[in-house]
Amino acid sequence: MKKFLLYFFLFALCTACAKKNKSPLVGKWKLTHTLIDIGNGKATFEKANQNKVIEFFADGTLKSNVSYCPMDKDVSVGTSGTYNMDQTTLVIPCASTASKINFELKDVTLIIDYPTQCMEPCKEKYAKVE
């Protein structure tokens, strides 16, 4: 009986101390600022007044309350997709092809970069809300 309790205690101790790797992206993020350059290279981030939220899950999936597909007529329709922390990309399935969007994490800010959807630089900053 003592051996059983000892093994149980050691097992419980090892599993309790196991490090759980959770992506820093997991949770809800709300749009705070947008940057759209008109071609002169002088664009700066401006405060956003949209209710745009994107949520990341531990299984590598995401969902949003708006569409990230460049040709969607109704952007208020939500979207879902996947993310890859190693490649720092979001992949959103769109009507004709998947939209690949770059992102970066700077401290507690998520910056999404739309390289193929804008002719000039356009980015969005998000703050974590959950």
Side-chain angles (χ1 to χ4, degrees):
M1 181 67 169
K2 288 181 184 179
K3 283 186 178 182
F4 173 75
L5 288 175
L6 178 63
Y7 288 127
F8 177 76
F9 175 76
L10 289 174
F11 175 77
L13 182 65
C14 289
T15 57
C17 295
K19 188 175 181 179
K20 294 180 174 57
N21 291 333
K22 181 176 148 184
S23 167
L25 269 183
V26 172
K28 284 187 180 180
W29 296 77
K30 185 174 183 349
L31 177 67
T32 59
H33 294 82
T34 59
L35 178 142
I36 300 174
D37 194 333
I38 59 171
N40 63 5
K42 296 180 182 179
T44 59
F45 279 100
E46 302 291 329
K47 189 167 174 61
N49 58 3
Q50 303 169 16
N51 187 27
K52 196 172 188 180
V53 176
I54 186 168
E55 185 171 6
F56 297 91
F57 300 95
D59 65 355
T61 61
L62 63 93
K63 71 176 183 177
S64 176
N65 64 337
V66 298
S67 176
Y68 286 88
C69 294
M71 302 307 279
D72 274 359
K73 292 181 174 120
D74 186 2
V75 295
S76 66
V77 175
T79 193
S80 61
T82 60
Y83 67 93
N84 184 312
M85 286 298 295
D86 295 330
Q87 297 176 2
T88 61
T89 56
L90 312 177
V91 179
I92 310 295
C94 297
S96 60
T97 184
S99 180
K100 194 171 186 180
I101 302 167
N102 299 322
F103 73 86
E104 63 181 301
L105 279 173
K106 285 191 172 182
D107 299 320
V108 293
T109 302
L110 168 66
I111 301 173
I112 293 180
D113 182 9
Y114 299 94
T116 60
Q117 297 171 347
C118 300
M119 293 179 71
E120 302 296 334
C122 57
K123 300 180 180 195
E124 294 177 331
K125 279 187 181 181
Y126 291 77
K128 198 167 195 177
V129 292
E130 286 183 21

